[in-house]
Amino acid sequence: MFSGAQISLYPMADDFVRIILGSLSALDPYRDRFRIETDDISTLLVGPPEELFPAMRDLHVAASRNGVHCVLHATVSRGCPGEPDDPICTPIQGRASDTPLVERIADALKAAQGAELIGQTVAAQLSLYPLGAGHHMDEIYGCIDFLKQSGVFGKSKNFCTTLRGDAGPVFATLSEAFLRFGSPEGHLALDLTVSANSPTSA
């Protein structure tokens, strides 16, 4: 199954080039499992779906260190029918499936709430799009129910949900939202914005 993310970093600092290029070293531990391509707009990660959000977490935390206000924006996708299968992408087993929603929510909560603290506070907003699923609203509502119980829920907004808290639990919650909802064989997309050290954070 093809899974990946297009990621862009936006450090709010005069030396943004140094911050962006320096933070890319945070992806080094993932290079044997991901295809990583960086150009002048974004960085592409293609690889195991369960490792996408830990990689994005490490990249964003590296760029946000020393109090730099930094925003990460990503479009994350799995099961895209317009992309060829890649040997480093594997099906999501035991995650998004025909398992009843209530069980998937319970499993997602257990996984997300056991996440290690990183020491960096972030705010995130996400929108989940289960494409081609006959009961897509059931999946979206189930995901929102999970997010509200996650311990890092911020609030619901038009077209998205916000999360706030330590980067460890927040990115773990985002990962579970991506892995456990939507058809296991269908195309799912997630639009994500994460901010750290904002001077206007609520």
Side-chain angles (χ1 to χ4, degrees):
M1 175 178 288
F2 194 94
S3 65
Q6 288 280 3
I7 307 162
S8 296
L9 282 176
Y10 303 100
M12 315 301 172
D14 290 341
D15 58 344
F16 64 91
V17 174
R18 179 192 62 79
I19 293 169
I20 293 172
L21 296 180
S23 67
L24 291 175
S25 63
L27 297 177
D28 289 348
Y30 300 93
R31 292 188 184 276
D32 62 337
R33 301 181 300 284
F34 280 88
R35 186 170 87 236
I36 302 175
E37 300 172 5
T38 297
D39 59 27
D40 60 334
I41 300 174
S42 63
T43 292
L44 170 69
L45 300 182
V46 177
E50 67 276 4
E51 295 195 52
L52 283 173
F53 286 86
M56 286 191 281
R57 175 201 64 208
D58 293 350
L59 178 66
H60 188 241
V61 168
S64 304
R65 67 168 54 104
N66 301 321
V68 173
H69 178 201
C70 184
V71 171
L72 174 148
H73 182 261
T75 301
V76 194
S77 175
R78 62 172 167 83
C80 180
E83 300 288 354
D85 281 347
D86 191 293
I88 61 175
C89 296
T90 56
I92 300 174
Q93 302 195 358
R95 300 292 182 137
S97 68
D98 292 331
T99 303
L101 260 176
V102 66
E103 293 182 27
R104 282 186 277 143
I105 291 170
D107 290 341
L109 286 169
K110 183 184 297 184
Q113 292 173 349
E116 181 180 353
L117 297 178
I118 301 296
Q120 173 66 62
T121 299
V122 298
Q125 69 178 32
L126 71 146
S127 299
L128 187 78
Y129 302 102
L131 304 172
H135 302 286
H136 69 281
M137 288 309 301
D138 292 342
E139 294 296 317
I140 291 172
Y141 287 135
C143 182
I144 291 171
D145 188 20
F146 155 63
L147 296 174
K148 287 182 175 178
Q149 299 178 62
S150 67
V152 292
F153 175 73
K155 63 180 179 179
S156 295
K157 299 173 61 178
N158 287 345
F159 317 121
C160 66
T161 301
T162 66
L163 308 177
R164 291 185 185 278
D166 184 272
V170 167
F171 275 92
T173 298
L174 293 167
S175 182
E176 292 302 311
F178 179 70
L179 295 172
R180 298 213 188 249
F181 300 93
S183 167
E185 302 302 327
H187 183 197
L188 181 136
L190 186 148
D191 184 73
L192 172 66
T193 302
V194 184
S195 175
N197 306 317
S198 171
T200 58
S201 59

